[in-house]
Amino acid sequence: MCGIVGYVGKKEVVPILIDGLRRLEYRGYDSAGIALLDKGNLTVAKSKGKVELLDNSVNRSHYSGTVGIGHTRWATHGEPSVTNAHPHTDCSKSIAIVHNGIIENYLELKEKLIKEGHKFRSKTDSEVIAHLIEKYYKGNLEKAVLSSIKKLKGSYAIAVITKDEPHKVVAVKCGSPLIVGIGKEENFVASDVPAILTHTRKVIYLHDYDVVVLNEKKVQIKNIKGKNVNRRVEKITWDINAAEKGGYSHFMLKEIEEQPDVILNIIKRRIDDKRRIFFDELKLNKNDFKSIKKITIIACGTAWHAGLIGKYLIEKHARIPVEVDLSSEYRYRKPPSIKNELVIAVSQSGETADTLAALRLARHNKLKVITVCNVIGSSMVRESDSVIYTHAGPEIGVASTKAYTAQISIFYLLAVHLAFLRGVIGRNTEHKLVKEFEELPKLITRILNNKKDIESCAEKYKQASSFLYLGRNINYPTALEGALKLKEISYIHAEGCSAGEMKHGPIALVDEKLPTVCIAPKSVTYEKMLSNIQELKARCGIVVSVATERDNIIKKHSDYVIHIPKVNEDLSCILATIPLQLLAYYMAVAKGRDVDRPRNLAKSVTVE
Ligand code: F6R
């Protein structure tokens, strides 16, 4: 949930750290800090709030150093403040650490260290790491780090420097992401690739319990026993522009607009010139697919909504029973497993703590796990039997947009592929369904060209204090996702419901002040949605409909209609999502919210 970066080389370290932190801000932004080794001194600068404030408070001409570490925080223990901001130092201010994760046994360790005479300054769990390293330090930083991590319980990615060894950074990972960037006479560690991509494309994804020692010439990785280990160097193929705003006012808008390209990319990677679907990277063979008796999908938040849509698609096309569970529930409810059950974990980041734990439980129960993921080399990817990458490119905006439509696209193609492999459909039906999918980029572009209309809708209803979202069948999860997007970035209360459930409770909320967003494209449940809309109008509710182009009937019963192009019902959930993302976006902008960094949230939820 926090972002860390470290550098050792020949260049001035402050601009490198600040720039790296800016690119990691999506991971947390309630305080930021850096520590650097400056002519034999350890210098620390911190500030409350965003990296920009740290940058303004650091007079760059006062600092000169070529080794340092930095941190941007998402508070878990101790409120956002300068004292609780990282880096944290030991008693003698010789050692500085930055930490992402949670030290579960910190209270116990803290008590012991206090008894031993250590003086603590912050309320964080992380500070114990600095004091533990101080305790074990006997002139070799990596040895002290190794001894310290043996005492830690929880999850962590840590980077450490000490003024007694001024040419190195030591870092270690367990449960939280950490990569190494390899440059020319300079090396880096960071929580994520964008932090270092302007300097190098050569990256190592560290494994749990890897301890890495960096100096400007060398990167050495050891395991917990102190033995050297080799890790593959990967080449990052995407460009830093993909992780920058490129003229857009917010990452979220840029990422919404990228969706036609994301789907084109999926088409290119997953469909051949005869319109046959392939998932080459799956290590399961045709017989494995034929013998599947049940699929369980595990995910959190927006990815869980994609999983709910996956259920509709897989059950409809491949006729395999699917259960969808929130990872946080699955991991504690002792789910029984059956023979030939397949688990699909869905995650943009591949680092979400609950989904990772749920995935581990499934594997512990001897189930095969496929992860649908956007981040190459992430923890879930490494721990799964197989991976399907969404290849949506880096998603920086905290609210997930393009990763979501990419996840649904993968489920659509997987459902059709499974249907074919299991003999439920033939090549002709596969061809037809693929052809319809190929239309999506064009249709999404049509919606995006009409954004002004959605902006006007946001302007009209921005004063509402609550919203209801209704949908049926495959667009029930669309309603959940629309409500989630609105609440997370505009802070307006919003609730998503199955329209069929409206009469069982939510209808009591309806009055002349409550806008209800009704997702009602032409489909098998269209008439039912129309009845729901009439029931809302009969109670003086405000109706904003998302409807198929040229639907003149719905117009008569709605206060505002947002049109989407005609498309097969399965794909209507992708098209209907686009205006809902835009509606949330424009509503948040109109209310002056920090769209890309909404309060209390972080992009990657690596703590439970
Ligand atoms: C909402 C959002 C979150 C994530 C959830 C899971 O816009 O982004 O609800 O979907 O935290 O994250 P991943 O997909 O990284 O596992």
Side-chain angles (χ1 to χ4, degrees):
M1 307 285 281
C2 305
I4 69 177
V5 61
Y7 174 80
V8 47
K10 289 191 185 315
K11 297 182 189 142
E12 277 303 328
V13 72
V14 175
I16 293 173
L17 296 179
I18 300 266
D19 181 62
L21 292 179
R22 275 189 206 284
R23 297 177 198 277
L24 293 176
E25 246 188 340
Y26 70 88
R27 305 178 63 84
Y29 34 79
D30 54 41
S31 60
I34 53 172
L36 62 141
L37 296 170
D38 183 0
K39 298 183 207 85
N41 296 316
L42 178 72
T43 312
V44 177
K46 306 181 194 187
S47 77
K48 190 177 161 195
K50 297 180 177 142
V51 177
E52 197 183 343
L53 299 174
L54 174 72
D55 194 12
N56 294 341
S57 72
V58 171
N59 184 341
R60 292 189 183 191
S61 60
H62 287 177
Y63 296 92
S64 173
T66 59
V67 179
I69 53 178
H71 187 271
T72 178
R73 180 168 186 246
W74 186 85
T76 55
H77 297 67
E79 73 285 357
S81 67
V82 172
T83 319
N84 290 332
H86 299 219
H88 293 290
T89 49
D90 64 325
C91 300
S92 64
K93 298 198 176 153
S94 307
I95 296 166
I97 68 105
V98 286
H99 165 226
N100 167 34
I102 286 189
I103 306 302
E104 286 164 5
N105 58 338
Y106 85 102
L107 277 177
E108 186 189 309
L109 292 170
K110 190 171 174 175
E111 253 173 51
K112 203 159 169 240
L113 286 160
I114 289 173
K115 276 192 196 139
E116 289 167 7
H118 291 262
K119 298 265 178 297
F120 279 75
R121 303 176 190 96
S122 77
K123 294 202 180 106
T124 65
D125 54 334
S126 311
E127 196 183 337
V128 293
I129 303 166
H131 293 279
L132 268 181
I133 296 174
E134 177 180 32
K135 173 175 167 174
Y136 291 114
Y137 188 72
K138 305 266 176 320
N140 182 315
L141 188 57
E142 54 271 31
K143 279 195 180 149
V145 169
L146 262 171
S147 305
S148 304
I149 61 170
K150 288 180 184 150
K151 305 285 171 203
L152 300 179
K153 285 193 190 137
S155 63
Y156 47 84
I158 303 165
V160 195
I161 53 174
T162 172
K163 66 178 184 186
D164 295 329
E165 293 174 76
H167 304 293
K168 66 163 79 147
V169 173
V170 176
V172 57
K173 164 191 159 39
C174 170
S176 301
L178 193 66
I179 57 155
V180 173
I182 300 167
K184 262 199 190 133
E185 305 208 313
E186 59 182 1
N187 290 303
F188 307 78
V189 280
S191 300
D192 198 0
V193 175
I196 58 163
L197 200 53
T198 49
H199 307 284
T200 179
R201 293 184 167 277
K202 289 203 288 185
V203 160
I204 296 172
Y205 292 91
L206 293 175
H207 294 200
D208 279 353
Y209 302 109
D210 281 354
V211 179
V212 58
V213 185
L214 312 173
N215 59 38
E216 67 179 54
K217 296 255 160 58
K218 214 163 70 182
V219 169
Q220 201 178 12
I221 305 173
K222 296 176 188 248
N223 64 17
I224 194 145
K225 294 192 180 121
K227 294 237 164 71
N228 287 341
V229 286
N230 281 325
R231 298 282 176 237
R232 219 177 53 214
V233 179
E234 316 251 359
K235 185 144 190 273
I236 301 298
T237 50
W238 47 271
D239 211 76
I240 191 65
N241 292 335
E244 287 186 337
K245 276 193 225 160
Y248 285 91
S249 42
H250 297 98
F251 280 113
M252 182 177 178
L253 185 59
K254 173 175 176 262
E255 287 158 8
I256 291 173
E257 298 248 0
E258 280 171 353
Q259 289 174 108
D261 286 340
V262 168
I263 294 183
L264 270 176
N265 193 24
I266 291 175
I267 292 169
K268 214 167 64 193
R269 286 172 184 270
R270 309 259 168 227
I271 298 170
D272 70 11
D273 51 7
K274 294 200 172 82
R275 294 211 165 93
R276 289 179 305 207
I277 297 166
F278 56 91
F279 282 96
D280 283 350
E281 69 273 57
L282 284 182
K283 291 181 200 128
L284 308 178
N285 61 34
K286 203 168 168 174
N287 283 337
D288 289 332
F289 282 117
K290 274 192 167 161
S291 57
I292 298 170
K293 290 275 175 293
K294 177 190 171 189
I295 293 177
T296 299
I297 299 175
I298 46 175
C300 300
T302 288
W304 178 67
H305 298 156
L308 292 174
I309 289 177
K311 173 182 168 76
Y312 281 91
L313 293 169
I314 294 170
E315 290 188 340
K316 174 175 169 182
H317 293 288
R319 312 303 299 155
I320 303 170
V322 180
E323 190 176 349
V324 191
D325 217 340
L326 289 163
S327 310
S328 52
E329 295 299 322
Y330 182 87
R331 64 182 289 193
Y332 290 115
R333 76 176 170 85
K334 299 210 184 328
S337 49
I338 61 165
K339 191 160 177 262
N340 294 333
E341 177 180 344
L342 174 73
V343 172
I344 303 181
V346 191
S347 175
Q348 188 286 130
S349 63
E351 302 292 347
T352 302
D354 280 322
T355 308
L356 189 57
L359 176 160
R360 285 179 179 151
L361 175 67
R363 293 205 72 207
H364 175 80
N365 290 339
K366 309 257 178 312
L367 297 175
K368 283 240 176 342
V369 178
I370 298 177
T371 290
V372 175
C373 191
N374 198 36
V375 177
I376 314 259
S378 57
S379 301
M380 282 181 219
V381 165
R382 286 202 305 272
E383 296 199 24
S384 302
D385 295 286
S386 269
V387 56
I388 301 177
Y389 282 119
T390 42
H391 292 296
E395 192 180 64
I396 309 290
V398 164
S400 186
T401 51
K402 61 176 181 170
Y404 176 65
T405 45
Q407 287 158 356
I408 301 175
S409 301
I410 293 294
F411 272 122
Y412 180 84
L413 296 180
L414 186 65
V416 177
H417 188 53
L418 282 172
F420 172 74
L421 291 178
R422 293 164 68 91
V424 184
I425 61 168
R427 283 285 184 209
N428 286 348
T429 309
E430 180 190 28
H431 188 279
K432 173 180 164 287
L433 293 169
V434 165
K435 198 155 178 267
E436 287 170 347
F437 181 78
E438 287 173 343
E439 292 296 301
L440 280 182
K442 203 173 69 201
L443 302 180
I444 295 174
T445 305
R446 230 154 80 195
I447 301 172
L448 292 171
N449 288 342
N450 215 12
K451 328 196 256 299
K452 280 270 158 247
D453 200 26
I454 301 161
E455 192 173 0
S456 310
C457 181
E459 198 50 44
K460 190 165 175 191
Y461 298 113
K462 68 178 182 202
Q463 299 306 348
S465 59
S466 186
F467 274 75
L468 191 61
Y469 283 69
L470 297 181
R472 282 175 183 263
N473 208 16
I474 201 159
N475 280 310
Y476 160 45
T478 312
L480 298 179
E481 174 61 8
L484 178 66
K485 281 297 88 97
L486 185 70
K487 73 182 126 191
E488 69 182 325
I489 58 166
S490 72
Y491 319 150
I492 300 171
H493 170 257
E495 194 174 319
C497 287
S498 147
E501 282 292 295
M502 185 176 93
K503 288 197 200 74
H504 301 282
I507 199 164
L509 297 171
V510 176
D511 64 13
E512 68 290 351
K513 292 201 204 88
L514 180 86
T516 301
V517 179
C518 298
I519 300 130
K522 285 284 165 64
S523 68
V524 289
T525 53
Y526 171 74
E527 304 294 338
K528 308 273 173 216
M529 280 305 299
L530 212 52
S531 306
N532 287 127
I533 289 172
Q534 279 155 344
E535 285 153 9
L536 289 165
K537 285 315 298 172
R539 284 152 186 89
C540 302
I542 303 165
V543 173
V544 175
S545 295
V546 177
T548 307
E549 282 168 356
R550 285 189 280 281
D551 179 344
N552 295 321
I553 302 170
I554 218 159
K555 242 194 206 154
K556 289 191 200 133
H557 306 287
S558 307
D559 298 273
Y560 207 102
V561 184
I562 299 169
H563 291 291
I564 59 170
K566 190 165 185 293
V567 73
N568 100 32
E569 185 173 0
D570 293 345
L571 297 171
S572 68
C573 59
I574 295 186
L575 293 193
T577 295
I578 313 294
L580 301 187
Q581 294 169 343
L582 287 166
L583 186 64
Y585 172 76
Y586 285 121
M587 205 81 88
V589 171
K591 294 182 89 67
R593 308 301 192 213
D594 190 345
V595 173
D596 286 331
R597 293 169 299 186
R599 68 183 182 201
N600 306 335
L601 292 175
K603 181 77 186 155
S604 184
V605 185
T606 53
V607 291
E608 196 177 344

